[in-house]
Structure formats: C-alpha cells, structure tokens
Amino acid sequence: MAFRRRNKSYPFFSQEFLIQNHADIVFSLVIFILIGLMFEATAKSAILFIQPQYNITTLTPEREVTTYQYGWKDCATILFYFFIAIILHAVVQEYLLDKVNRRLHLSKSKNTKFNESGQLCVFHLVSSVWSFYILITEGYLLHPSSLWENYPHSHLRFQVKFFYLTQLAYWLHALPELYFQKVRKEEIPRQLQYISLYLVHISAAYLLNLSRVGVVLLFLQYVSELGFHIARLLYFTDESHQKMFDVWAASFVFTRMATLTLMFLAVGFGLARAENQRLDLEMGNFNTVLIRMTVLLLVCLTQSWLLWKFIRFQLRRWREFRHEQAVRKKANAKQALRPLKRDSLGHYENGLLKAENGVSARTKKLKSP
C-alpha cells in the first residue's frame, strides 16, 4: 500500500526516507498488531491495542449493561488509534487534498494552510457529527442537569470512552505530523499552541470524570472550528469569498459565551451543591473546591486568550479592508480628474488657446511658402 508517489529513492532510515514512507511503515505496524489476533498466544496482548479496556458488566432486570472506566491500559489503545490517525491523514492528503492543490496552483504558504484546513475540516466534521450523536443518544440535550448530577461519572458507555480515546489519539498524532508534513518553522509555534490546548482540556475532562460536560464543549468547539476552516478553504479557492468569515465570527463569539456559561453552571454551581465534596481517587471523585476553581480558571484563561486573538484578527481584517477602500477611492479619483493641457501663454479650451486672464491669445499669421 503506497500512499505517495516516489520520484526518488532515499537510503533506508534516512530523514527523507522516513518522511516519504512514514504512512507505509505505520500501516505495517497496524497489520502486525491485527495479525496478532489470529493466534491464541498473542490475542490477549493484541486486543489491548484494539478494544477499550476496564469494562464492567452489570445485570439489570431488563438487560446487561456494560460500562467502562479508565486506566493505564488505555495508553495501548490510544497508541493503536494514533497509528490509524496517521494512516487516515495520509489517505486524505494523497487522495483528496493533493489533487485539489494541483488544480489551484497555490503558493507554498497558502498550500500549507490549505492542507491544514483540509485535514482539520474532515476531522471537525466527523467529530462534530459523532459528538452530536452522543449528546442525543445519551440524553444530555434533553436533560441538561445530567451533566453534573450523580457525579462522579466514572462509568462510561462504550461510545463515550471510544470517543475520548480517538480524540486523544488524533491530537497526539498531530505532533509528529508537523515533522512529516515539513511544516515551516514560523507555523510550528501556532500549531503547537492549539494542539496542546486540545490535549490538556480533553485529558482533564477524561481523567477528572467530567466526560459529559467535555462532550458538549467539544461539540460546540468543533462546530465553530468547522465553520472557520470551511471559510478558509473557500477563501483559498476564490479570495472574493469572505462572507463565510462573518458567519464564523458570530459562531465563535457564541461558542465562547456558551462555553463559559456551561462551565459556571455545571462546575461552579452544579458540582458545588453536591453532597460528597471530598477527594476520593478510588471512586474517581475530584469534586473539591481547589479542583473546581482550577478547572474554572483554566477554562476562563483559555477562552479569554481565544477572544483576545479573535479581536486582534478582526481588527487586522478591518484595517486591511479600510486600506483597500482608501486605495480604491484614490484610484477612482485619479481616473475622474482630466488634466488640462497647459501652455506658456495659458491653456487650451475648445481648441483655442486661452491666456491666464481668460483673453484669447492672438494667432500668428503664417507666411505662405
């Protein structure tokens, strides 16, 4: 399975060899793990990488209910889907984005941003639909109080735990992709910022048993980011398409306000009224004043920083728009003015030479040859 066209061969395990063939190498590792399922001696070890662990089955009068907790074995599962994310990244890049890039003929800087938005657009679309499905099936939208009631939410359904594991795997895979995609040094700090923010917030929601609130916040964030990356893709195809940025700006502000409101409602008020507010690692209870204040402070700082960047971005766009309008007005004014042809005695008007005082100058008689 070859993901990229090879125009030149490189020495084994050289830098260019790893960059060009990283998807094939990772695909071989995935096949190796899947082959382990075929043998009884290695099946138990291989299943750690594929299936979420720490399942608990409880009997109810109606049926058996299987829930999951978290533990160190989740690292193996995250590693496997980390490999899957690298493979899917290469598939999207090779069979979708590269074909579009050949038609658009973008510059290097725009090409990098186009690939970034293309990858994130696919991921945000899948994640937003997936998280919305979880919100409906788990009943979080119809019963908002379930976001903080019966805390700690240490027993997760399969789809919720699998959602968090794949989210962590994707954002972890984004780190080596900076090297594989040869991202420019100027772009690396910016991408590291939002990758780190996603990893910190998703890990905190997963480990602190705030999975229900986390799914709602991720849904809001992914829908907002999906609008931004769609707007940027349309802008790269045609620079006149800028109205989508206005739609994204409205959704961005709404997402920031909704995130702050939901966090203060669920963590600041809902968990503060819970009876059990003691730290209990065995039960997974982290509902203490210190942890609640730390979580709220982290979210408030993140949302304030995002709003500050958004305001700076909008001001820069406004200045560029005003500058373009000023340039256009000057160009139109120059075209409207018609300069008069001047002479030492005056100027020409209706084909006659007028003096400066408005008197017509005498015409000299020309001698016939």
Side-chain angles (χ1 to χ4, degrees):
M1 183 177 181
F3 289 101
R4 294 186 179 277
R5 300 177 181 178
R6 291 164 177 76
N7 299 324
K8 185 179 179 180
S9 60
Y10 297 96
F12 284 102
F13 302 109
S14 64
Q15 181 180 0
E16 293 296 332
F17 178 83
L18 292 175
I19 292 175
Q20 191 179 55
N21 301 279
H22 72 276
D24 294 333
I25 297 172
V26 171
F27 183 76
S28 302
L29 294 175
V30 171
I31 293 298
F32 179 76
I33 295 173
L34 294 176
I35 290 175
L37 295 173
M38 301 172 62
F39 304 97
E40 186 177 356
T42 58
K44 292 183 179 180
S45 300
I47 201 68
L48 293 175
F49 294 90
I50 302 172
Q51 182 179 346
Q53 302 300 307
Y54 303 102
N55 57 316
I56 300 173
T57 302
T58 56
L59 295 175
T60 61
E62 299 178 354
R63 53 175 181 150
E64 291 184 355
V65 178
T66 302
T67 56
Y68 294 82
Q69 294 179 319
Y70 64 80
W72 67 269
K73 293 181 182 179
D74 291 340
C75 297
T77 311
I78 292 173
L79 179 63
F80 179 78
Y81 290 101
F82 168 86
F83 294 152
I84 296 296
I86 292 178
I87 296 172
L88 294 178
H89 188 112
V91 171
V92 173
Q93 185 67 41
E94 177 68 19
Y95 296 103
L96 180 61
L97 298 179
D98 286 349
K99 291 183 179 181
V100 177
N101 283 332
R102 295 190 192 102
R103 296 182 179 181
L104 296 179
H105 304 289
L106 300 175
S107 61
K108 283 188 176 182
S109 60
K110 288 186 177 181
N111 190 20
T112 302
K113 293 180 180 180
F114 182 86
N115 291 334
E116 178 192 0
S117 291
Q119 293 286 347
L120 291 175
C121 189
V122 174
F123 171 73
H124 290 319
L125 177 62
V126 174
S127 297
S128 59
V129 173
W130 190 359
S131 58
F132 183 69
Y133 175 78
I134 293 175
L135 294 179
I136 294 177
T137 55
E138 296 294 329
Y140 299 157
L141 292 179
L142 298 178
H143 304 90
S145 60
S146 63
L147 298 177
W148 60 83
E149 289 180 349
N150 300 323
Y151 181 85
H153 309 138
S154 56
H155 297 274
L156 307 176
R157 298 287 184 90
F158 172 80
Q159 61 179 354
V160 178
K161 176 164 183 175
F162 190 60
F163 174 78
Y164 273 95
L165 294 181
T166 52
Q167 293 296 311
L168 292 171
Y170 180 86
W171 291 111
L172 284 173
H173 113 279
L175 296 174
E177 285 294 341
L178 298 177
Y179 171 74
F180 294 144
Q181 299 298 324
K182 296 182 178 179
V183 178
R184 297 186 306 167
K185 293 182 179 179
E186 298 82 5
E187 293 289 328
I188 290 178
R190 179 185 62 84
Q191 296 194 27
L192 282 177
Q193 285 178 355
Y194 71 76
I195 292 172
S196 302
L197 286 175
Y198 275 113
L199 286 174
V200 169
H201 285 76
I202 294 173
S203 301
Y206 184 63
L207 297 176
L208 298 178
N209 292 322
L210 296 171
S211 57
R212 298 181 181 182
V213 180
V215 172
V216 179
L217 296 182
L218 284 175
F219 169 72
L220 294 173
Q221 177 66 19
Y222 287 155
V223 171
S224 175
E225 288 297 303
L226 177 63
F228 171 74
H229 291 291
I230 290 177
R232 197 156 73 157
L233 289 175
L234 293 176
Y235 175 77
F236 287 141
T237 56
D238 188 359
E239 293 186 357
S240 61
H241 292 159
Q242 296 188 5
K243 293 183 179 179
M244 193 65 186
F245 282 109
D246 299 331
V247 178
W248 163 74
S251 67
F252 182 88
V253 176
F254 172 78
T255 302
R256 304 285 77 77
M257 298 299 103
T259 299
L260 292 173
T261 303
L262 182 61
M263 284 302 297
F264 277 100
L265 180 64
V267 179
F269 295 98
L271 294 182
R273 295 180 179 180
E275 296 180 359
N276 188 5
Q277 297 193 17
R278 292 180 298 176
L279 181 64
D280 190 349
L281 298 179
E282 293 183 0
M283 295 296 296
N285 186 14
F286 299 93
N287 187 14
T288 63
V289 176
L290 179 61
I291 294 177
R292 288 201 308 269
M293 294 302 295
T294 303
V295 171
L296 289 175
L297 181 62
L298 175 63
V299 173
C300 289
L301 289 177
T302 303
Q303 301 305 312
S304 301
W305 180 71
L306 291 174
L307 279 173
W308 170 246
K309 288 189 63 178
F310 172 78
I311 292 172
R312 291 180 59 187
F313 173 74
Q314 294 298 328
L315 288 176
R316 187 172 65 250
R317 281 190 63 200
W318 180 75
R319 291 194 192 100
E320 292 175 356
F321 178 74
R322 291 295 299 272
H323 179 69
E324 289 178 359
Q325 280 190 334
V327 171
R328 289 177 182 176
K329 286 182 179 179
K330 289 181 180 180
N332 294 333
K334 288 181 179 179
Q335 292 178 359
L337 293 176
R338 294 181 180 179
L340 299 175
K341 188 176 179 182
R342 294 286 178 176
D343 193 85
S344 58
L345 298 176
H347 62 276
Y348 287 92
E349 185 177 329
N350 296 327
L352 297 176
L353 181 62
K354 294 286 185 179
E356 292 296 335
N357 55 4
V359 182
S360 300
R362 294 182 179 180
T363 55
K364 295 182 179 180
K365 296 183 179 180
L366 300 176
K367 296 182 179 181
S368 58

